[in-house]
Amino acid sequence: MIALLTGATAFTEHRPPPRPRPPDGPLGWAGYDAARRRAAARTGEEESVVYGTGSVGGRACVLLSFEFGFLGGSLGGPTGDRLTAAYELALARRLPLLALVATGGSRMQEGMVALTQLQRVAAASVRLRVAGIPQIAVVRDPTTGGGWATVGAGADVVLALPGAQIGFAGSRVRPPDADPYAYSAEGQFAAGQVDAVVPPGELATAVAHWLHALGPHEALPPAPVPRALPPAGEPSRAEAADAGTVEAAVTEPAHAATEGTADAEPAHAATEGTADAEPAHAATEGTADAEPAHPGTEGAAGAGSAPRLPATGREAVARARDPRRPRAEAYLADCFPVRLPLHGDRSGGTDPGLLTGFGLRADGRPVAYVAQCGTPTRPAGYRAAARTIRLADRLGVPVLTLVDTPGAANDAEAERAGAGAAIADAFAAIAAARVPVTTLVIGEGGSGGALALASPDNTHVAADSYFSVIAPELAAAILKRAPSETGATADQLRLRPQDLVELGIARSIVT
């Protein structure tokens, strides 16, 4: 398995210092030494784990690999020695840890001595986390018991091979009527416990990308503000105009930011050295009050000029709800040539309306992303967002959030799933982040469900977006107004992009 990832690159095996052990192990289990000798003869290994240093896709790392043929890849005292030594090696050299896991769990012949190895592994893993060293697990068939509950599920990123049996309960200890799908790689992915199911032929590339994205890194700059995108089916301004003739406009608050000034805001995620990196357009205060085009009309993202801004609050809402405006997938594809999704909240839930992961920019720099897709965000989505933000913060990777939701899911199921606690967790993750967080509101910014994923001091808004204390319809209902007054309520809420800049909620309008 190691050779599948490292290829022709040398792998240097390490071994912990030997220590004396009693005959037939700590319990004096009759035949245990003989079983170990047979396993060694069959596999060519002295224990169920091999570890050392190597390189995957040119990225150095510490690798540890379970040999399932050695007593079912079980964990005993000698296994614990090797596992903790691998973690300590990664810590000493500040290299990411890559674990290739295939285990049946704790070794019966060593009893509680075997079981307590899980505590040793957990402690070693925590030391890596505190030091900001990433951990990746590739779970193979089978991965069960304590090995899954520590080395596997305890990693920052979990990749699984197709069809692998994965679960805390092994096949001989689970209920006889248990659904086998729940214990498969695909079932664990559906439950948000695995980030991706990766075929063997694609594994080396996937691992190399993850090693690149997770680091360790030196200080990274903030994520650039994404550039404006045209409505679906329309060419971008860069495509429609001759190269170099169109500038990406960013409406700045209270002053004209001219080209070359120190405080001009970037209009899009321009990668270093790319030909299409454009300077911020000089935008005067009056730009925010320009007569807008009607929502959804052709040319709203015009080929030769920036789209005009909405004249009223109701128009801003209509434009944000226009099905033709660009969505999160389009922005992420534009920002990142390589995307590495993180999947699930690790509590049994997923939210298809929220995308999280790490992306590699064209210049190779990593950015963690959290992107709402225009649907009410569910508790699992907020938990997945908090997980991603905290991982990025621990590894020193900047964060980009794309806000687009009419609000948090408010059905009974969402309440039972802990909507309030999940939203609070997302607010806390943003508030505690030491890395820079960049936010672009790309569509609807509905109440706290949107604000929970917004940067307090680096939020920007697209021209076809709005941000409001609550959706206008709900605001009208709270104020006991007739539905016919929803439009007037939207106007009063001052939710237009230019209003948000004037109120100090947003730093700029990306147009």
Side-chain angles (χ1 to χ4, degrees), residues 12-78:
T12 303
E13 183 176 356
H14 289 240
R15 295 169 184 261
R19 56 173 172 159
R21 302 192 181 276
D24 282 331
L27 306 185
W29 191 286
Y32 179 38
D33 284 349
R36 288 180 56 87
R37 288 192 294 269
R38 289 193 299 271
R42 184 170 56 252
T43 63
E45 303 295 345
E46 297 177 359
E47 244 308 325
S48 60
V49 164
V50 174
Y51 77 98
T53 54
S55 177
V56 180
R59 309 292 296 191
C61 60
V62 171
L63 295 98
L64 70 85
S65 180
F66 283 74
E67 172 54 70
F68 190 76
F70 193 102
L71 301 180
S74 58
L75 280 73

Side-chain angles (χ1 to χ4, degrees), residues 96-101 125 129 133-139 148 150-160 192-198 203 206-211 213-215 340-343 346 356-358 387-388 391-392 394-395:
L97 180 82
L98 173 60
L100 313 176
V101 191
S125 176
R129 286 175 177 268
I133 307 297
Q135 302 170 53
I136 302 171
V138 176
V139 290
W148 165 239
T150 52
V151 184
D156 298 316
V157 175
V158 181
L159 309 178
Q193 308 293 356
V194 164
D195 292 305
V197 178
V198 185
L203 188 60
V207 169
H209 282 322
W210 272 115
L211 290 171
L214 299 182
L340 305 166
L342 290 171
H343 183 71
R346 293 299 188 265
T356 64
F358 282 61
R387 172 197 168 207
T388 301
L391 175 59
R394 178 156 49 82
L395 301 180

Side-chain angles (χ1 to χ4, degrees), residues 218-293:
E218 299 299 329
L220 292 171
V225 181
R227 63 180 174 179
L229 298 179
E234 294 185 14
S236 67
R237 291 161 62 201
E239 293 170 335
D242 292 333
T245 62
V246 179
E247 292 178 337
V250 176
T251 304
E252 294 292 346
H255 67 275
T258 57
E259 287 183 52
T261 59
D263 52 0
E265 290 289 339
H268 62 275
T271 55
E272 293 181 7
T274 56
D276 56 354
E278 295 288 345
H281 183 70
T284 63
E285 193 171 1
T287 307
D289 298 319
E291 178 76 2

Side-chain angles (χ1 to χ4, degrees), residues 135-404:
Q135 302 170 53
I136 302 171
V138 176
V139 290
R140 301 141 58 200
D141 185 38
T143 298
T144 61
W148 165 239
T150 52
V151 184
D156 298 316
V157 175
V158 181
L159 309 178
L161 294 182
Q165 179 188 172
I166 304 168
F168 184 64
S171 59
R172 298 183 183 181
V173 298
R174 65 183 66 139
D177 59 348
D179 178 10
Y181 180 73
Y183 304 87
S184 68
E186 292 73 15
Q188 295 284 8
F189 175 80
Q193 308 293 356
V194 164
D195 292 305
V197 178
V198 185
E202 302 173 13
L203 188 60
T205 299
V207 169
H209 282 322
W210 272 115
L211 290 171
H212 185 177
L214 299 182
H217 300 288
E218 299 299 329
L220 292 171
V225 181
R227 63 180 174 179
L229 298 179
E234 294 185 14
S236 67
R237 291 161 62 201
E239 293 170 335
D242 292 333
T245 62
V246 179
E247 292 178 337
V250 176
T251 304
E252 294 292 346
H255 67 275
T258 57
E259 287 183 52
T261 59
D263 52 0
E265 290 289 339
H268 62 275
T271 55
E272 293 181 7
T274 56
D276 56 354
E278 295 288 345
H281 183 70
T284 63
E285 193 171 1
T287 307
D289 298 319
E291 178 76 2
H294 292 295
T297 58
E298 291 187 10
S305 62
R308 291 175 292 177
L309 299 176
T312 63
R314 68 195 78 186
E315 183 181 349
V317 173
R319 285 174 60 169
R321 293 175 178 174
D322 190 321
R324 290 172 293 181
R325 70 160 171 82
R327 306 285 166 151
E329 281 281 4
Y331 280 99
L332 293 175
D334 191 61
C335 289
F336 306 120
V338 175
R339 277 167 53 193
L340 305 166
L342 290 171
H343 183 71
D345 65 356
R346 293 299 188 265
S347 297
T350 62
D351 181 359
L354 186 127
L355 306 176
T356 64
F358 282 61
L360 297 177
R361 297 169 50 195
D363 61 6
R365 289 175 174 170
V367 172
Y369 63 83
V370 173
Q372 293 172 313
C373 299
T375 58
T377 302
R378 306 204 64 80
Y382 291 111
R383 286 191 288 265
R387 172 197 168 207
T388 301
I389 294 164
R390 289 193 175 104
L391 175 59
D393 189 53
R394 178 156 49 82
L395 301 180
V397 176
V399 176
L400 169 68
T401 67
L402 301 178
V403 169
D404 184 10

